[in-house]
Amino acid sequence: VLQNLSQTPVLRELLKEAKMPGTTVKIESPELCVEPQLIKLDQPGPLTLAMYQFVTEMQETKKGVVTPKELFAQVCKKAIRFKGYQQQDSHELLRYLLDGMRAEE
């Protein structure tokens, strides 16, 4: 799930812009034939910042192994069920991660 998210260009661009609070971002998707959307970004929360850091590390070609410790710690703060390293479904992680980032908006 995290590898797929790190390869999503729109998400990468939004996370890069999220580092600068007060910025207005225009999201366009010609492939989907939808109207462009303008989004004003506030100060990013800890989960969003951890996601930005993870995606940035994944994009570094010189980086060997990337461990999402900080991102996982932030997910665990939002969704306690992930503490303890028990088996969880990937779609649950995706849901809690995206919902947590949305709640920080």
Side-chain angles (χ1 to χ4, degrees):
V1 167
L2 293 177
Q3 288 174 336
N4 287 330
L5 288 175
S6 73
Q7 296 302 315
T8 305
V10 172
L11 179 62
R12 284 197 319 256
E13 289 302 314
L14 276 175
L15 288 170
K16 192 184 312 179
E17 295 292 328
K19 291 286 287 179
M20 299 175 280
T23 303
T24 300
V25 178
K26 183 178 182 179
I27 299 176
E28 298 182 86
S29 182
E31 308 88 41
L32 298 177
C33 300
V34 294
E35 292 290 319
Q37 295 188 9
L38 293 175
I39 299 173
K40 183 170 169 97
L41 301 173
D42 293 327
Q43 179 69 33
L47 180 59
T48 303
L49 289 173
M51 184 66 181
Y52 169 77
Q53 179 182 358
F54 171 76
V55 168
T56 302
E57 286 181 23
M58 287 290 289
Q59 295 302 307
E60 292 178 12
T61 56
K62 294 177 182 160
K63 190 85 171 178
V65 176
V66 176
T67 306
K69 287 181 182 178
E70 179 58 28
L71 180 58
F72 183 67
Q74 292 301 323
V75 168
C76 288
K77 287 180 183 178
K78 302 278 184 188
I80 298 170
R81 72 182 328 151
F82 288 99
K83 285 186 178 178
Y85 301 98
Q86 295 178 14
Q87 180 88 17
Q88 301 290 337
D89 291 330
S90 59
H91 73 277
E92 289 181 60
L93 171 68
L94 178 62
R95 189 179 89 216
Y96 282 107
L97 177 62
L98 296 178
D99 285 348
M101 289 171 56
R102 177 179 287 167
E104 290 182 345
E105 291 179 352

